[in-house]
Amino acid sequence: MPDLSPLDKAKFAAAKRAASFVEDGMRVGLGTGSTAAWLVKCLGEMVREEGLRITGVPTSARTAELARQVGVRVVSLDEAKWLDMTIDGADEVDGDLNLIKGGGGALLQEKIVATASDQMIVIADVSKQVETLGSFPLPVEVIPFGWQTTKVLVEEALIGMDVLGRDAGLRMDGDAPYVTDEGNHILDLHLNRIGNARQLSLVLNQIPGVVENGLFLDICDILVIGHGDGRVQVRDINEGSVEEGRLDFLETNNLFDDILD
């Protein structure tokens, strides 16, 4: 294992533990983001060294590219039709395993893939746990046509919501608007605190021009939290169980060297 920061160790520990849930022959949704990238690398190592046979359904073009690089067979969701599980990261997760996702810009495909799965496992470092969602800006994917009008409608809708902030900003990629894999834009809502996530999600998705929002409610089944010292906590909301463990970091050369960025 290369010389990792505590944060990278936490992400790797969560990803490594989550990879142990994957069994031969499974169809697995592959998330997007830095923690999910560790997971893809772990699965690639299992494919190469243990002969694991799985089919991966990526949630973004960059995840698909990484999966192919490490030897994971990739197909589309239409080809797979239904998945055994999806493993993905999160920007925030509360005590009920509700999430904010979309910091990496892939929330639409991530939500479609997650809901087409028998089980969703979320991997995260301990810093992503919060009492109440909302400190992380809530991403809302909108179509480019009339996005400024959509932004105004979103801001007006927020007036009646239980939130502390109401600023909405268009996500940029340099000097141009950020464009998702589906060709859409993203509004980041700086809400600070979301008092009623369920109500907010319903209201946002009724606004013309809004494609989907980054609130993932009642979707996550298992949360795997990694710590910088290698400790891992696995919480299963359906079983009502919490499991503690530890991953030993070994000084070995492996697939993970090139993922550090």
Side-chain angles (χ1 to χ4, degrees):
M1 174 61 59
D3 186 18
L4 302 180
S5 69
L7 179 59
D8 280 321
K9 285 183 178 180
K11 292 178 178 181
F12 171 67
K16 187 72 171 177
R17 177 64 181 88
S20 68
F21 285 98
V22 178
E23 300 176 2
D24 204 51
M26 279 189 168
R27 292 163 295 182
V28 183
L30 306 174
T32 295
S34 59
T35 310
W38 285 104
L39 179 276
V40 175
K41 286 280 188 174
C42 289
L43 293 177
E45 186 178 48
M46 292 166 68
V47 167
R48 291 197 323 146
E49 298 188 2
E50 302 172 21
L52 179 71
R53 294 170 300 173
I54 59 171
T55 300
V57 174
T59 54
S60 67
R62 60 184 181 275
T63 295
E65 181 180 3
L66 177 60
R68 293 188 184 101
Q69 287 175 359
V70 300
V72 175
R73 177 175 177 259
V74 170
V75 302
S76 69
L77 181 59
D78 287 334
E79 290 175 276
K81 295 184 172 60
W82 195 259
L83 308 179
D84 296 288
M85 69 175 59
T86 288
I87 306 177
D88 203 349
D91 298 304
E92 282 188 347
V93 53
D94 69 12
D96 294 322
L97 304 197
N98 292 316
L99 321 167
I100 286 181
K101 288 179 54 53
L107 68 99
L108 178 58
Q109 291 189 22
E110 287 173 338
K111 188 174 280 191
I112 292 171
V113 170
T115 54
S117 307
D118 288 335
Q119 189 176 57
M120 184 189 188
I121 300 175
V122 168
I123 50 178
D125 63 86
V126 67
S127 70
K128 303 300 174 62
Q129 289 186 297
V130 297
E131 286 191 18
T132 305
L133 299 176
S135 292
F136 190 91
L138 176 66
V140 176
E141 187 156 339
V142 300
I143 66 170
F145 177 81
W147 72 264
Q148 295 186 57
T149 300
T150 304
K151 178 176 177 289
V152 170
L153 292 172
V154 167
E155 290 172 331
E156 288 179 351
L158 292 176
I159 295 174
M161 296 293 101
D162 183 7
V163 295
L164 291 182
R166 297 185 179 88
D167 291 333
L170 180 69
R171 186 178 298 185
M172 302 297 290
D173 182 9
D175 295 330
Y178 178 86
V179 178
T180 70
D181 282 357
E182 296 299 315
N184 298 317
H185 295 330
I186 289 181
L187 299 177
D188 288 307
L189 311 188
H190 299 269
L191 308 177
N192 301 318
R193 177 185 175 278
I194 299 172
N196 189 331
R198 200 170 307 280
Q199 180 191 39
L200 177 61
S201 180
L202 289 170
V203 168
L204 288 174
N205 281 8
Q206 290 174 349
I207 296 173
V210 169
V211 181
E212 188 53 84
N213 70 81
L215 287 168
F216 283 52
L217 311 177
D218 303 323
I219 295 176
C220 175
D221 299 290
I222 296 175
L223 173 65
V224 182
I225 291 289
H227 297 256
D229 60 0
R231 286 182 296 122
V232 181
Q233 182 186 78
V234 180
R235 182 178 170 201
D236 187 322
I237 197 168
N238 299 313
E239 298 290 337
S241 62
V242 179
E243 170 199 317
E244 303 277 353
R246 181 183 292 273
L247 178 72
D248 291 325
F249 293 97
L250 303 176
E251 296 297 331
T252 58
N253 293 321
N254 53 40
L255 282 170
F256 309 110
D257 296 350
D258 63 345
I259 202 171
L260 301 178
D261 53 22

